[in-house]
């Protein structure tokens, strides 16, 4: 168990947390939620001991081991992948290295033998002989193939490093597991694996994530940070949302009844306070009036943008024809003879572990890259707007936000443009901020403003939820569901894919595709069944051979 007792954290004069008391118990998974800036990651750092609170204390059950997902992708560059994972249990790794150093000695003494014996006993108690196989199982589950396990961390891609650091946090069955955005940069297969791991994990988990589907799948409880307090709810994210909304409605209804009672008492007092025969009753009602107190309904610190994509023209039947597109980059064939046709009702999610292939295809369709082979043709009634995964070039200038967005608008009126920015929570003086200094989330909201103001009837979106908070992701999800045009998109957000797409195109590792008209959950179910059939067929063949 881990608990926060009267924890307060002040940054300057501002209290980020004040007198927080909360217990996280064994066998539960807690989703820590709150608006951007509420202090979710900061609170995890306080729990882990990386950050000291201004007052109060963190208590951990004696003897329990805490593991915290590291965010420093360069800390382990000189270690192998397998060693990095095992370092998740610092004591076990320390024993392994000390043992190796003793056995490597040329002048092995009696004292060395005694020490080695002590280490071997502790090593066995910690299931040390299973360490490498356990680490390998975690890595394979997250998509890090066996041939990379003895590679140095510095030779991995950023996405691969994220998976290794996650495996490190999970390694060795920690008693308390703290995960800050564990699904970031994971493909959907790896996220599904992590979900199953956490569902079956028997100790304490506290996780921060913007992935609503993930929180709904793994969390038994929800801890909501708002206005420096943490309120604990039993249940997952959807249960928290319904419960919190119900509580607000109940308080509003209670206040309405109280306000009606106040009005009734005030009218009686006003009518009969000067009447001698009614004066006692009027006095009695004055006392009753003084006792009525309205519940304080403090609005949440969360802010929801308004996302609404409205095409300027209706789309025709001919939307997009792709024929035999192939593309090789740095000697690797990322797209191989890709062909498909889109109609005016298609909302297509592009899935698969090869994110680079999806980005390459989107860049070709957006006109940023030329294919090596093949062609594509947009219908004459289409207009496209593209949301790139990497928006660095868009903001590499000294424009202020209003001027930046105005260049993409047919209507050059400042008031009209500010209306789109206001929907995306850029109010007042925010409009004169330079785009170069915007945060990652602010840049994404600018890009969504660009898509809205374009009036396009075809949207191409490459991982649009990166850097967004939960409220913005929810608003984007609703906007995509309502969009009457054609969508081509990739997203790690399971809920967006499931609720938006009516067609799934998976880009396979060899660059070819699987194309199905189906929902995402149905696709996953059929894919799982196909894999089971493949395994069964392989086992049957092996039995027949025997």
């Amino acid at each position: 168990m881990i608990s926060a007792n009267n924890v307060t954290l002040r940054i300057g004069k501002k209290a980020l947390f004040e007198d927080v008391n909360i217990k996280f118990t064994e066998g539960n998974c807690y989703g820590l939620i709150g608006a951007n800036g509420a202090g979710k990651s900061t609170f995890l750092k306080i729990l882990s001991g990386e950050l000291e609170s201004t007052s109060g204390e963190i208590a951990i059950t004696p003897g329990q081991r805490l593991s915290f997902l590291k965010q420093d992708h360069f800390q382990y560059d000189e270690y192998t992948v397998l060693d990095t994972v095992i370092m998740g249990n610092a004591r076990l790794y320390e024993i392994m290295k000390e043992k190796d150093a003793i056995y490597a000695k040329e002048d092995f003494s009696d004292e060395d033998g005694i020490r080695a014996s002590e280490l071997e006993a502790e090593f066995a108690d910690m299931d040390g002989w299973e360490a490498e196989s356990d680490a390998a199982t975690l890595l394979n589950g997250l998509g890090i193939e066996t041939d990379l396990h003895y590679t140095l961390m510095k030779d991995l891609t950023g996405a691969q490093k994220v998976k290794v650091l996650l495996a490190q946090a999970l390694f060795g069955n920690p008693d308390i597991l703290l995960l800050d955005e564990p699904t970031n940069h994971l493909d959907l297969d790896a996220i599904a694996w992590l979900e199953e791991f956490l569902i079956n994990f028997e100790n304490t988990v506290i996780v921060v994530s913007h992935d609503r589907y993930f929180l709904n799948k793994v969390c038994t409880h929800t801890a909501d940070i708002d206005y420096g307090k943490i309120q604990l709810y039993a249940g997952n994210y959807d249960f928290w949302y319904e419960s919190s909304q119900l509580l607000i409605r109940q308080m509003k209804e209670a206040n309405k009844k109280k306000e009606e009672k106040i009005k009734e008492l005030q009218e009686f007092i006003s009518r009969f306070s000067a009447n001698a025969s009614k004066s006692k009753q009027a006095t009695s009602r004055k006392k009753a009036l003084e006792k009525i107190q309205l519940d304080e309904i403090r609005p949440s610190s969360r802010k929801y943008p308004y996302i609404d994509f409205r095409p300027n023209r209706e789309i025709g039947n001919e939307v997009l024809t792709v024929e035999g597109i192939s593309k090789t980059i740095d000697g690797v064939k990322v797209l191989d003879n890709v062909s498909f046709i889109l109609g005016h009702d298609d909302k297509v999610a592009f899935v698969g572990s090869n994110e680079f292939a999806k980005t390459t295809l989107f860049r070709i369709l957006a006109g940023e890259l030329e294919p090596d082979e093949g062609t594509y043709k947009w219908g004459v009634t289409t207009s496209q707007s593209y949301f790139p995964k990497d928006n660095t070039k868009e903001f590499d200038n000294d424009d202020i936000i209003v001027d930046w967005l105005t260049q993409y608008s047919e209507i050059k009126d400042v008031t009209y443009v500010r209306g789109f920015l206001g929907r995306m929570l850029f109010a007042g003086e925010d409009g004169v901020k330079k785009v170069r200094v915007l945060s990652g989330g602010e840049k994404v909201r600018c890009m969504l403003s660009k898509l809205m103001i374009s009036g396009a009837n075809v949207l191409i979106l490459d991982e649009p939820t990166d850097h967004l908070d939960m409220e913005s992701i929810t608003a984007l999800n609703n906007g995509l569901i309502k969009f009457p045009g054609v969508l081509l998109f990739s997203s790690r957000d399971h809920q967006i894919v499931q609720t938006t797409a009516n067609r799934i195109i998976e880009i396979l590792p060899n660059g070819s595709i699987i194309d199905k008209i189906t929902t995402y959950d149905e696709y996953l179910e059929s894919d799982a069944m196909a894999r089971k059939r493949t395994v069964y067929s392989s086992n049957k063949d092996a039995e027949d051979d025997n």
Side-chain angles (χ1 to χ4, degrees):
M1 184 186 76
I2 182 170
S3 62
N5 304 315
N6 296 314
V7 167
T8 296
L9 178 67
R10 294 188 177 279
I11 301 175
K13 294 182 179 179
K14 180 185 176 183
L16 191 58
F17 302 109
E18 196 153 23
D19 296 327
V20 169
N21 290 281
I22 189 169
K23 290 181 180 179
F24 303 99
T25 57
E26 187 176 347
N28 293 317
C29 179
Y30 299 84
L32 191 61
I33 64 171
N36 270 7
K40 300 182 293 294
S41 296
T42 302
F43 188 68
L44 283 189
K45 288 179 179 177
I46 292 173
L47 291 176
S48 73
E50 283 193 11
L51 186 65
E52 190 173 340
S53 60
T54 307
S55 61
E57 64 174 9
I58 302 299
I60 298 177
T61 301
Q64 291 199 337
R65 184 171 71 86
L66 181 147
S67 183
F68 187 24
L69 175 59
K70 301 289 194 305
Q71 299 293 339
D72 186 347
H73 296 178
F74 304 100
Q75 183 177 348
Y76 303 95
D77 273 359
E78 300 306 319
Y79 295 93
T80 67
V81 167
L82 209 59
D83 275 0
T84 300
V85 174
I86 295 172
M87 289 167 77
N89 187 335
R91 178 55 188 159
L92 178 61
Y93 185 75
E94 183 183 304
I95 291 170
M96 290 174 65
K97 292 297 129 182
E98 188 176 351
K99 279 202 315 162
D100 290 345
I102 290 173
Y103 291 139
K105 286 185 176 182
E106 293 183 3
D107 52 342
F108 191 86
S109 66
D110 290 342
E111 289 78 7
D112 289 331
I114 293 170
R115 180 56 180 160
S117 178
E118 292 171 347
L119 292 172
E120 290 289 4
E122 189 176 355
F123 185 70
D125 286 342
M126 298 178 74
D127 293 326
W129 297 111
E130 307 298 324
E132 290 196 2
S133 63
D134 288 348
T137 298
L138 291 171
L139 289 167
N140 290 332
L142 288 166
I144 302 297
E145 300 299 333
T146 305
D147 58 355
L148 292 176
H149 292 186
Y150 292 95
T151 303
L152 289 179
M153 286 286 285
K154 66 181 179 183
D155 296 324
L156 299 186
T157 65
Q160 289 170 333
K161 285 183 177 182
V162 168
K163 292 181 176 182
V164 175
L165 293 177
L166 179 55
Q168 181 193 73
L170 304 178
F171 176 75
N173 196 37
D175 301 290
I176 300 161
L177 181 57
L178 307 182
L179 300 174
D180 190 0
E181 296 293 355
T183 62
N184 276 4
H185 307 293
L186 293 188
D187 55 75
L188 289 166
D189 285 341
I191 293 173
W193 179 90
L194 178 61
E195 287 167 357
E196 289 304 312
F197 181 94
L198 293 179
I199 288 169
N200 295 312
F201 189 72
E202 296 180 350
N203 298 331
T204 305
V205 182
I206 306 170
V207 58
V208 171
S209 177
H210 289 146
D211 188 327
R212 298 157 298 163
Y213 181 90
F214 177 77
L215 291 176
N216 281 330
K217 194 82 180 284
V218 305
C219 291
T220 60
H221 294 72
T222 301
D224 178 34
I225 302 179
D226 211 353
Y227 291 107
K229 302 293 184 182
I230 302 182
Q231 179 72 38
L232 189 61
Y233 296 79
N236 61 16
Y237 178 80
D238 280 351
F239 184 84
W240 160 81
Y241 183 78
E242 292 299 328
S243 299
S244 60
Q245 294 304 304
L246 177 62
L247 181 62
I248 291 172
R249 286 197 299 271
Q250 288 174 337
M251 291 175 69
K252 286 182 176 178
E253 288 170 5
N255 274 356
K256 186 177 180 182
K257 290 179 180 178
K258 289 179 182 178
E259 286 168 351
E260 290 171 354
K261 185 66 175 177
I262 289 170
K263 185 178 180 182
E264 178 188 322
L265 292 172
Q266 286 174 335
E267 287 177 351
F268 185 92
I269 294 165
S270 177
R271 286 177 61 193
F272 298 112
S273 59
N275 187 324
S277 64
K278 298 282 188 179
S279 62
K280 285 186 178 180
Q281 294 178 39
T283 302
S284 175
R285 281 165 172 73
K286 280 182 181 179
K287 291 179 180 179
L289 182 62
E290 291 169 358
K291 291 179 180 179
I292 297 177
Q293 290 187 338
L294 296 177
D295 295 320
E296 182 186 3
I297 304 176
R298 198 173 189 183
S300 172
S301 59
R302 293 173 171 83
K303 294 181 180 179
Y304 289 83
Y306 179 71
I307 299 178
D308 188 18
F309 304 108
R310 296 186 182 181
N312 291 335
R313 64 184 296 186
E314 191 173 341
I315 200 166
N317 290 325
E318 294 184 7
V319 177
L320 174 65
T321 301
V322 175
E323 293 185 350
I325 282 183
S326 295
K327 184 69 177 179
T328 299
I329 297 178
D330 296 332
V332 178
K333 198 162 198 175
V334 292
L335 298 172
D336 186 12
N337 195 30
V338 172
S339 299
F340 57 88
I341 297 173
L342 296 190
H344 68 280
D345 293 323
D346 282 328
K347 289 180 168 57
V348 188
F350 287 79
V351 302
S353 59
N354 192 342
E355 295 188 11
F356 185 58
K358 288 177 276 187
T359 296
T360 300
L361 178 61
F362 289 163
R363 291 185 66 197
I364 289 172
L365 298 179
E368 289 191 356
L369 278 179
E370 290 291 328
D372 297 334
E373 300 173 20
T375 61
Y376 67 94
K377 183 180 179 182
W378 289 103
V380 294
T381 63
T382 65
S383 55
Q384 307 87 41
S385 192
Y386 173 47
F387 182 105
K389 177 184 272 189
D390 182 2
N391 58 36
T392 306
K393 291 181 181 178
E394 288 274 359
F395 301 100
D396 188 18
N397 57 72
D398 291 316
D399 288 347
I400 61 172
I401 297 178
V402 171
D403 293 344
W404 178 88
L405 186 58
T406 300
Q407 67 182 311
Y408 300 111
S409 174
E410 291 183 6
I411 301 173
K412 303 300 181 183
D413 178 66
V414 172
T415 303
Y416 175 78
V417 173
R418 278 187 176 273
F420 284 88
L421 290 173
R423 294 178 192 176
M424 297 307 296
L425 308 180
F426 293 106
E429 294 184 0
D430 286 340
V432 297
K433 288 173 70 173
K434 289 191 175 183
V435 296
R436 190 188 296 277
V437 301
L438 297 179
S439 68
E442 288 173 326
K443 288 177 180 177
V444 171
R445 284 191 276 121
C446 278
M447 292 298 296
L448 293 173
S449 299
K450 175 187 171 185
L451 263 63
M452 285 194 290
I453 210 168
S454 73
N457 54 26
V458 177
L459 300 180
I460 306 171
L461 303 102
D462 193 359
E463 300 295 347
T465 62
D466 285 357
H467 305 293
L468 288 183
D469 59 20
M470 195 91 75
E471 294 70 44
S472 297
I473 291 172
T474 300
L476 174 60
N477 197 167
N478 293 336
L480 293 177
I481 290 171
K482 291 189 299 181
F483 178 58
V486 170
L487 284 175
L488 298 84
F489 71 98
S490 66
S491 176
R492 300 184 193 92
D493 190 293
H494 186 118
Q495 194 161 330
I496 283 183
V497 179
Q498 170 59 19
T499 58
T500 304
N502 56 24
R503 181 174 174 182
I504 304 295
I505 294 181
E506 179 176 3
I507 302 181
L508 301 172
N510 64 6
S512 62
I513 66 169
I514 297 173
D515 185 356
K516 289 189 177 182
I517 297 175
T518 181
T519 66
Y520 184 54
D521 283 348
E522 290 169 344
Y523 181 79
L524 289 178
E525 187 175 345
S526 65
D527 182 54
M529 291 302 294
R531 291 183 184 182
K532 285 181 181 179
R533 286 194 295 270
T534 301
V535 171
Y536 173 79
S537 176
S538 299
N539 292 340
K540 190 76 171 60
D541 291 343
E543 289 174 7
D544 292 343
D545 289 341
N546 292 333

